[in-house]
Amino acid sequence: MNKRTGVIVGAGIAALVTGAILLPQANASPDAPDTPSGPRTLSGPSAARLASTLTGDLGENAAGWYYDADARRLVVNVLDADSARRVRDQGAVARTVRNSTAELRAATRVLGDKAAVPGTAWSIDPRSNRVVVLADRTVTGAELTTVTSAAERMDGLVTVERSAGEFRTFAGNEALDGGDAIFGGGSRCSLGFNVVVDGAPGFLTAGHCGNASRSWSVDQGGQPVGTVRSSEFPGSDFALVTYDDPAVPATSSVDLQDGSTQPITRVAEASVGMPVQRSGSTTGLSEGTVTGLDATVNYGDGQIVTGLIQTDVCAEPGDSGGAMFSGDAAVGLTSGGSGDCTQGGETFFQPVSAALAATGAELPVGGGEAPGDGGPVN
């Protein structure tokens, strides 16, 4: 269960102070959901494809979208009546909102300049049409005032909420048996997805794990099985490890922690509302929903990571680097968050697509195409 505990800042506060980025909202209308005549029932991947087409066609009049998994409908935020009609004509739900994507992105830049406080995270939330800032339990006193003051200056654009936990990366240093556990430099992390790079087998995990050790094994103190080829943290949070034995079978699957595995055949971009699962060496298999995109998290000590996927999936130390997936699609690598799998909390993930693009790695060939969902992204 998500342990956010109340909204601190809402709409109706003064405009930005002198020197901050101006965020004009002239001619903006209050949030007002439209009632479509006949929205289509869509799978998650089909909704993502339609959303990409619609947002491309609508340009600056589109203001984000999300997938309503319960109703199996695509919801597209728009700024005017003509755009709403075009959305409904394509079988999606149109929702007229106040804030444009450009204004929301500008708000995130202001937060980066004015409220870079350890223990905070923020992302654009298409459901509320605002930037939602999460402040963990360590953010108090003057630091909390810094965050709330920055939000107050952005009337109707930013909401501040509290997280009951503490944002941290999810690397662990205790030994624990498990097929998906990897050990290195006194740390325990989790393997994400097997990949192929330059014809050689390897795997992805978290960058803060890759920074902790150059060599990784499947047992605490055991013979190394892989060597870090590249690692990015902070900024991003991914590492590419190549297997020391080039004959290791290049197959990609996720341990479901019950003796079975989920084959991974493709890569999918996350979307708000997407149902996902996470597999990690500490807490096994967990499930939840994507709640935000392009999230920025400040773990403290200058460790700021951007471009993350925000979820309500739980995780704990040792789960870092583990696979987040949706069906047969690779979606993310576990980065960090707050809470645990008893009380809940927020967890953030590095998008797999960005890690593959940066490293030149690919999923192993031969997985095939998911029925009705299209082929691989990469």
Side-chain angles (χ1 to χ4, degrees):
M1 181 179 68
N2 193 311
K3 288 290 183 178
R4 298 180 187 176
T5 54
V7 173
I8 296 177
V9 179
I13 313 295
L16 283 170
V17 294
T18 302
I21 299 174
L22 293 178
L23 302 174
Q25 298 187 50
N27 302 318
S29 59
D31 294 359
D34 289 309
T35 303
S37 57
R40 294 162 54 191
T41 297
L42 299 166
S43 67
S46 296
R49 288 193 293 271
L50 177 58
S52 178
T53 299
L54 281 170
T55 54
D57 291 343
L58 295 174
E60 63 183 14
N61 288 321
W65 61 274
Y66 61 92
Y67 180 57
D68 183 341
D70 291 335
R72 301 187 66 196
R73 291 175 178 173
L74 169 66
V75 182
V76 180
N77 293 339
V78 296
L79 300 179
D80 57 46
D82 181 63
S83 297
R85 177 188 56 76
R86 293 166 65 185
V87 167
R88 289 194 298 269
D89 286 346
Q90 294 299 313
V93 178
R95 180 169 173 263
T96 305
V97 296
R98 173 185 182 186
N99 300 317
S100 70
T101 298
E103 289 170 334
L104 294 171
R105 287 176 176 168
T108 66
R109 294 193 292 271
V110 173
L111 290 169
D113 292 338
K114 305 293 183 181
V117 172
T120 58
W122 56 80
S123 64
I124 294 174
D125 175 20
R127 295 180 185 272
S128 66
N129 186 229
R130 286 168 172 78
V131 176
V132 176
V133 180
L134 290 177
D136 74 15
R137 65 186 179 190
T138 69
V139 182
T140 59
E143 290 184 333
L144 182 59
T145 299
T146 296
V147 175
T148 56
S149 295
E152 286 171 355
R153 297 184 186 112
M154 290 179 278
D155 180 24
L157 282 163
V158 179
T159 298
V160 178
E161 300 179 1
R162 297 308 304 265
S163 171
E166 179 179 346
F167 292 140
R168 64 200 188 283
T169 57
F170 283 135
N173 57 9
E174 72 278 12
L176 181 69
D177 292 333
D180 53 2
I182 54 175
F183 299 86
S187 295
R188 175 172 57 79
C189 289
S190 299
L191 185 148
F193 299 96
N194 281 315
V195 295
V196 176
V197 57
D198 296 333
F203 62 83
L204 297 174
T205 188
H208 66 270
C209 295
N211 287 0
S213 176
R214 184 171 182 269
S215 298
W216 289 85
S217 65
V218 296
D219 299 296
Q220 183 72 49
Q223 181 70 24
V225 298
T227 302
V228 174
R229 176 165 171 166
S230 62
S231 184
E232 295 290 335
F233 180 83
S236 299
D237 197 2
F238 62 84
L240 172 64
V241 181
T242 53
Y243 285 105
D244 295 337
D245 180 359
V248 169
T251 59
S252 189
S253 60
V254 175
D255 185 355
L256 298 181
Q257 312 295 333
D258 61 358
S260 65
T261 60
Q262 167 64 58
I264 298 298
T265 67
R266 61 194 179 93
V267 178
E269 298 291 347
S271 58
V272 172
M274 173 189 280
V276 292
Q277 293 177 292
R278 176 202 52 76
S279 183
S281 63
T282 299
T283 57
L285 190 68
S286 297
E287 61 183 27
T289 304
V290 173
T291 59
L293 301 176
D294 199 23
T296 297
V297 185
N298 190 330
Y299 291 122
D301 297 324
Q303 298 178 342
I304 300 174
V305 185
T306 62
L308 297 180
I309 303 164
Q310 182 173 327
T311 74
D312 58 12
V313 183
C314 73
E316 296 181 10
D319 289 328
S320 276
M324 181 177 75
F325 58 103
S326 182
D328 68 337
V331 180
L333 304 167
T334 307
S335 174
S338 69
D340 53 40
C341 286
T342 299
Q343 300 181 50
E346 301 82 19
T347 301
F348 300 90
F349 295 83
Q350 165 71 49
V352 168
S353 58
L356 292 174
T359 60
E362 299 177 338
L363 290 183
V365 176
E369 180 175 319
D373 285 349
V377 173
N378 294 85

